[in-house]
Structures are given as C-alpha cells and as structure tokens.
Amino acid sequence: MFKYKGNTINGIRHFSPREVFEECSGGAILLDLRRESEIGYKSFDVEQIITAQPKTVKENFNDLPKDKPLIVADNAGLRSKEIVEFLQSKGFDNLANLAGGMFEWDKDNLPLIINNNERLSGSCLCVMRPNKNKSGDKK
C-alpha cells in the first residue's frame, strides 16, 4: 500500500522514478499510457507492466487489478495524472503517478528496454515520428 509514500498533491500520490522502480521491484504494476510509437523505442524495464491508451483504460477500467498497487506513467506525467484521477473516481485507491514520466525515468538512468529500430526523430514531442532509417542510426 502506498499510504505513506511519495508526495500527495491535490489528492494524487506522485512518485519519483526511483520510488517507482522500487515499488515495481516489490510487486507494483506499471500502467504505461504512451502511444505504441513511443513504447516501441524505449520501454520501462519492470517486472509487471500493462500498456494501454487512456481511452482504453476509461472503457475497460474494470479489467485492471484493484488488489495490487498500480502506478500510472506516460512521457511527462500529465496524461497519467488525469488517469489516476479517473481511476480514483472509480474506486481505485492504491494508485500513484510517475512524476515526470519516461523523461525523468530515462534521465535517472533507470532500466530501459531499447529498440533502436524504433527510434523516434523530430524537433519536439508533438512532431516526433519513427525514424525511417531502420539501422537504428540517427539520420
């Protein structure tokens, strides 16, 4: 249970990447909300992970385990915060948000699964697309 862990702001519990890694090593499940194109290049390397789009989570929230700690993640911690709020409204109480998302996880050098064939390219997140150069090298 996350009761006395992380920082709680406006009713949402936020964990640092290191706290998330520790919790996932102890049995928590990571719910990754990133798009397939984002997950293809870099994935969280944790024991238990569920990948789903926010819309799918909202439509199928009853399929998520209520009996295990659940940490919601995305690229920056914004969409995940909204899904934590949604799940709280549906009776989930053992929830946390990964503050900073994949950006902070990567910055903290936590375990990743990297597929260079799916590397993204672009000047900002809103225009990033899979790299057409399948060798994994930067163009």
Side-chain angles (χ1 to χ4, degrees), residues 7-103:
N7 290 321
T8 302
I9 303 167
N10 296 328
I12 296 177
R13 188 166 312 281
H14 298 274
F15 282 169
S16 71
R18 293 210 181 277
E19 289 171 318
V20 170
F21 181 70
E22 289 172 17
E23 293 298 325
C24 287
S25 297
I29 299 170
L30 189 70
L31 174 59
D32 189 347
L33 302 175
R34 295 175 306 136
R35 292 184 298 259
E36 188 175 322
S37 63
E38 297 163 332
I39 292 170
Y41 172 46
K42 287 184 181 179
S43 297
F44 298 97
D45 190 4
V46 295
E47 210 170 298
Q48 296 183 76
I49 190 165
I50 298 170
T51 57
Q53 294 298 293
K55 180 180 178 185
T56 305
V57 171
K58 288 181 177 181
E59 292 170 353
N60 301 300
F61 66 90
N62 283 319
D63 294 338
L64 294 172
K66 279 191 171 182
D67 61 334
K68 293 188 177 186
L70 191 62
I71 302 168
V72 187
D74 62 9
N75 274 324
L78 302 174
R79 286 182 293 163
S80 57
K81 179 180 164 271
E82 293 173 9
I83 292 299
V84 169
E85 290 172 330
F86 170 79
L87 292 173
Q88 285 175 329
S89 77
K90 299 300 181 185
F92 287 77
D93 60 3
N94 203 6
L95 290 169
N97 178 51
L98 169 55
M102 174 56 86
F103 291 128

Side-chain angles (χ1 to χ4, degrees), residues 116-119 131 133-138:
N116 281 321
N117 290 329
E118 296 296 322
R119 182 181 207 108
N131 188 345
N133 180 355
K134 291 297 180 180
S135 70
D137 297 330
K138 237 182 174 178

